């Protein structure tokens, strides 16, 4: 299984367009966006199962303190 994941990981971000890489993916879905509007930008956020960190990076650029973890 690890070999299959490593083969996918090399091209993982290629699956997303430049806007998704710059602005995040899941953090822009309506439910997540509403939740993020309810908390302050100085809040700490955990991005569990973050993959290559696309959303974690977008949140950090928005001013959140981000903890990100993935297998």
């Amino acid at each position: 299984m690890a070999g299959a994941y490593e083969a996918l990981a090399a091209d993982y971000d290629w699956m997303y367009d430049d806007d998704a890489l710059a602005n995040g993916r899941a953090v822009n879905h309506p439910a997540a966006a509403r939740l993020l509007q309810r908390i302050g930008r100085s809040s700490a956020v955990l991005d569990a199962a973050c993959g290559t960190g696309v959303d974690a990076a977008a949140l950090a650029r928005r001013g959140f303190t981000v903890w990100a973890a993935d297998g």
Side-chain angles (χ1 to χ4, degrees):
M1 184 60 145
Y5 179 79
E6 287 180 18
L8 173 62
D11 295 320
Y12 191 77
D13 286 337
W14 172 80
M15 296 186 301
Y16 305 115
D17 61 23
D18 290 340
D19 184 59
L21 293 174
N23 299 309
R25 287 190 68 235
V27 297
N28 296 316
H29 290 198
R34 283 192 304 272
L35 176 63
L36 291 171
Q37 289 174 348
R38 294 177 59 187
I39 63 175
R41 295 259 173 147
S42 60
S43 297
V45 176
L46 170 64
D47 184 359
C50 68
T52 59
V54 171
D55 289 311
L59 290 168
R61 284 192 296 272
R62 294 179 189 184
F64 291 96
T65 301
V66 181
W67 290 84
D70 196 283

